[in-house]
Amino acid sequence: MIVIGLTGTNCAGKGTIAEYLKNKSFYYESLSDIIREKLRGENKEINSDNLVAKGNELRERYGAGILADLMLEKIEDDNCKNYVVDSIRNVQEVNSLRKIPCFFLFDIDAPLEIRFNRLVSRNRKGDPKTLEEFIADEERQNNLNPLYQQIKACQELANVHILNDSTKEDFYPKIDSALNSLLPDIAERFKRPRWDETWMNIAKEIARRSNCIKRKVGAVIVKNNKYVSSGYNGTPMKNKNCYEGGCPRCTSFAKSGSAYGECLCEHAERNAIEQADDDEREGATLYINLAPCLDCSKGLINAGIKEVVYETPFPLEVRDKKLEEAGVKLRKFEK
């Protein structure tokens, strides 16, 4: 996930760069939109004064980085996208967003008179009407109080500074140049999960399909880092689900290590084995979020599995010896 943050003076062109980046597959978000939602909930007019006041109120109540923290919660839930985040106006907001490895702050600026003329042209309700009011409004956005707006301080923290003192046609190449300048840093900071992490995450996602009420277990078989099959624990097909009373051991909440004769749930690794052909299983690796039991370990040996990677231990000395004797490596997953 790449996140471009926008800060800078009023009417410098932050909206223009946001629209331009949206056309380059960046999804738009704004810290000011969080404040707008709060104002709407209070039936207050959305204007510059109210936005500044409400933003400062939220920072005073919840901390200087609250708007960015709320934004982080939103975008980190869908971190397969790139984002452009507008309206960054406090130093702590920058610090919070820098928790994202590929976060870059763009400062957009333009000469005062040019910016005021743009403000007059857009004719937005609640905007200052005179140059003096415009200057006074900007001064309010550069407060020494660390909980309030600090535009100039944010500008100083920017990775990229862009002067937008001409037309859009002149501005766009500057944006492209800025993006290109980030490529070395993106290559250095770009994060993606290791293969072990990828397959274990898939196993844990598969576990969510389990119908067992005692423990959810998922397994995935992989060969040469290619998916082969998967399985999760639960009662057999065409039988009542465990959570519906299909397994006496589980519904009685039997003591750990006891009453296995009453268990009607098939284990995840067994189901994964049954979903794969013989040649696919031979020499493959099984990832599972719980170390296998002895019975399933025998099945894994006979299926030709050569490595078992588990997350949660299930101590069983006899299983360990049998796997070792058969040449099957048992390895704990390391994050």
Side-chain angles (χ1 to χ4, degrees), residues 40-95:
R40 290 188 187 100
E42 297 171 4
N43 293 317
K44 290 183 178 179
E45 182 181 356
I46 298 174
N47 57 39
S48 179
D49 287 343
N50 285 344
L51 285 167
V52 172
K54 190 62 182 179
N56 291 341
E57 177 192 325
L58 290 170
R59 295 184 191 98
E60 286 177 344
R61 183 176 298 180
Y62 303 108
I66 180 60
L67 299 177
D69 291 339
L70 292 171
M71 184 60 66
L72 277 175
E73 290 179 8
K74 181 176 182 179
I75 65 179
E76 286 184 336
D77 283 342
D78 194 358
N79 59 13
C80 293
K81 298 176 181 176
N82 293 333
Y83 292 91
V84 52
V85 177
D86 198 0
S87 305
I88 298 171
R89 296 186 171 95
N90 183 278
V91 168
Q92 192 54 48
E93 291 168 357
V94 178
N95 294 336

Side-chain angles (χ1 to χ4, degrees), residues 34-256:
I34 297 173
I35 305 174
R36 290 186 180 95
E37 285 301 313
K38 299 291 184 182
L39 291 174
R40 290 188 187 100
E42 297 171 4
N43 293 317
K44 290 183 178 179
E45 182 181 356
I46 298 174
N47 57 39
S48 179
D49 287 343
N50 285 344
L51 285 167
V52 172
K54 190 62 182 179
N56 291 341
E57 177 192 325
L58 290 170
R59 295 184 191 98
E60 286 177 344
R61 183 176 298 180
Y62 303 108
I66 180 60
L67 299 177
D69 291 339
L70 292 171
M71 184 60 66
L72 277 175
E73 290 179 8
K74 181 176 182 179
I75 65 179
E76 286 184 336
D77 283 342
D78 194 358
N79 59 13
C80 293
K81 298 176 181 176
N82 293 333
Y83 292 91
V84 52
V85 177
D86 198 0
S87 305
I88 298 171
R89 296 186 171 95
N90 183 278
V91 168
Q92 192 54 48
E93 291 168 357
V94 178
N95 294 336
S96 292
L97 289 168
R98 280 191 168 150
K99 295 173 185 176
I100 300 168
C102 285
F103 171 78
F104 303 95
L105 184 64
F106 281 22
D107 162 40
I108 317 301
D109 205 352
L112 177 63
E113 290 188 4
I114 291 177
R115 293 190 290 110
F116 179 67
N117 289 334
R118 290 172 182 163
L119 177 130
V120 172
S121 297
R122 76 182 185 184
N123 194 29
R124 182 184 294 173
K125 184 179 180 180
D127 276 347
K129 301 302 180 185
T130 66
L131 180 59
E132 290 73 19
E133 290 175 350
F134 183 61
I135 293 171
D137 186 56
E138 290 207 330
E139 289 176 352
R140 287 196 299 272
Q141 297 179 34
N142 286 290
N143 201 296
L144 295 177
N145 188 325
L147 294 174
Y148 290 2
Q149 291 192 5
Q150 305 169 309
I151 302 294
K152 288 181 180 178
C154 290
Q155 289 179 284
E156 292 172 0
L157 295 174
N159 302 92
V160 174
H161 302 273
I162 305 177
L163 183 65
N164 178 25
D165 58 352
S166 185
T167 64
K168 289 182 180 180
E169 287 68 29
D170 291 330
F171 189 31
Y172 294 152
K174 293 181 180 180
I175 301 170
D176 289 334
S177 178
L179 290 172
N180 289 333
S181 73
L182 301 179
L183 292 176
D185 282 334
I186 291 172
E188 183 177 335
R189 301 184 196 181
F190 201 86
K191 303 293 182 183
R192 61 176 183 164
R194 297 175 293 110
W195 278 117
D196 258 13
E197 188 177 355
T198 298
W199 297 123
M200 188 59 74
N201 284 340
I202 292 174
K204 290 193 286 187
E205 186 67 23
I206 292 294
R208 296 178 61 192
R209 283 287 304 160
S210 168
N211 66 49
C212 181
I213 62 173
K214 280 184 70 72
R215 191 194 298 267
K216 293 180 179 292
V217 182
V220 59
I221 295 176
V222 176
K223 190 171 184 178
N224 298 324
N225 276 329
K226 294 182 179 179
Y227 172 88
V228 173
S229 66
S230 61
Y232 52 85
N233 64 322
T235 48
M237 293 175 60
K238 301 180 181 179
N239 280 240
K240 186 184 294 185
N241 286 315
C242 178
Y243 62 81
E244 296 173 321
C247 178
R249 181 176 185 270
C250 291
T251 53
S252 68
F253 293 95
K255 183 180 178 180
S256 295

Side-chain angles (χ1 to χ4, degrees), residues 10-47:
N10 290 335
C11 296
K14 298 186 293 296
T16 301
I17 190 172
E19 286 298 320
Y20 189 68
L21 291 176
K22 283 165 64 176
N23 289 326
K24 291 179 175 289
S25 299
F26 284 81
Y27 287 77
Y28 178 79
E29 298 289 348
S30 171
L31 300 191
S32 290
D33 285 344
I34 297 173
I35 305 174
R36 290 186 180 95
E37 285 301 313
K38 299 291 184 182
L39 291 174
R40 290 188 187 100
E42 297 171 4
N43 293 317
K44 290 183 178 179
E45 182 181 356
I46 298 174
N47 57 39

Side-chain angles (χ1 to χ4, degrees), residues 292 297 301 318-328 330:
S297 295
I301 292 169
V318 64
R319 173 208 57 206
D320 296 350
K321 288 182 178 179
K322 286 299 175 184
L323 289 174
E324 183 179 2
E325 182 181 344
V328 179
L330 182 64

